[in-house]
């Protein structure tokens, strides 16, 4: 039974990844990488959105993070016990359709021009 559940989660993950890929098709500079235990999409060299088995990781900027947390639509991303100010997790179970997924992708794309690129490793 456990293998079936894991297999179903991977299918959902791949389906959501495919939907995100379709939503980013008109962006000129999209790169995909495996990071944060999921599949991440970088736009213009900056982390934009990631999908793992259960969540969407959205980079939406501090002001929007505060708003979405207050509305109860997301939860704060924590790294090493500290809040990552520009990121939230959204449970895939709470995204019931393409319109809701598009809402989060749009927020990520709106913030992308202001986001800072990660420093390149030497």
């Amino acid at each position: 039974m456990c293998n079936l559940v894991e297999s179903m989660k991977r299918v959902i993950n791949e389906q959501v990844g495919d939907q995100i890929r379709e939503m980013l098709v008109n962006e000129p500079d999209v790169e995909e990488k495996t990071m944060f235990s999921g599949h991440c999409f970088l736009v213009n060299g900056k982390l934009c959105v990631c999908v793992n088995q259960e969540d969407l990781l959205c980079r939406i900027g501090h002001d929007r993070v505060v708003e979405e947390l207050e509305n109860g639509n997301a939860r704060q991303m924590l790294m090493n016990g500290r809040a990552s100010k520009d990121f939230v997790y959204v449970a895939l179970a709470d995204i019931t359709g393409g319109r809701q997924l598009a809402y989060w992708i749009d927020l990520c794309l709106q913030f992308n021009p202001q986001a800072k690129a990660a420093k390149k490793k030497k």
Side-chain angles (χ1 to χ4, degrees):
M1 183 68 171
C2 195
N3 288 337
L4 178 61
V5 171
E6 287 303 312
S7 184
M8 288 174 64
K9 285 181 181 178
R10 267 187 239 110
V11 170
I12 292 169
N13 178 358
E14 290 172 11
Q15 289 173 344
V16 174
D18 289 343
Q19 290 175 319
I20 294 170
R21 193 174 292 109
E22 287 176 26
M23 291 177 183
L24 297 176
V25 73
N26 292 324
E27 295 298 317
D29 182 15
V30 177
E31 184 181 353
E32 298 183 31
K33 288 186 176 182
T34 301
M35 301 181 337
F36 298 109
S37 301
H39 191 78
C40 298
F41 296 84
L42 288 77
V43 175
N44 300 317
K46 299 176 266 186
L47 181 64
C48 187
V49 62
C50 300
V51 61
N52 64 29
Q53 292 180 354
E54 298 175 0
D55 298 302
L56 200 62
L57 174 62
C58 299
R59 188 177 193 184
I60 59 175
H62 176 71
D63 293 341
R64 203 58 197 242
V65 164
V66 171
E67 186 177 327
E68 295 299 337
L69 291 173
E70 286 175 358
N71 291 335
N73 297 329
R75 67 185 192 284
Q76 185 74 59
M77 177 190 181
L78 299 175
M79 293 234 357
N80 301 323
R82 297 177 68 197
S84 294
K85 67 177 184 166
D86 291 335
F87 294 89
V88 292
Y89 281 111
V90 181
L92 290 178
D94 294 339
I95 298 175
T96 57
R99 181 179 266 168
Q100 287 180 321
L101 181 59
Y103 171 81
W104 290 104
I105 301 303
D106 287 345
L107 289 181
C108 294
L109 290 173
Q110 287 172 22
F111 179 68
N112 188 263
Q114 294 91 42
K116 293 182 181 177
K119 294 178 181 177
K120 301 283 183 189
K121 292 182 181 179
K122 293 180 180 180

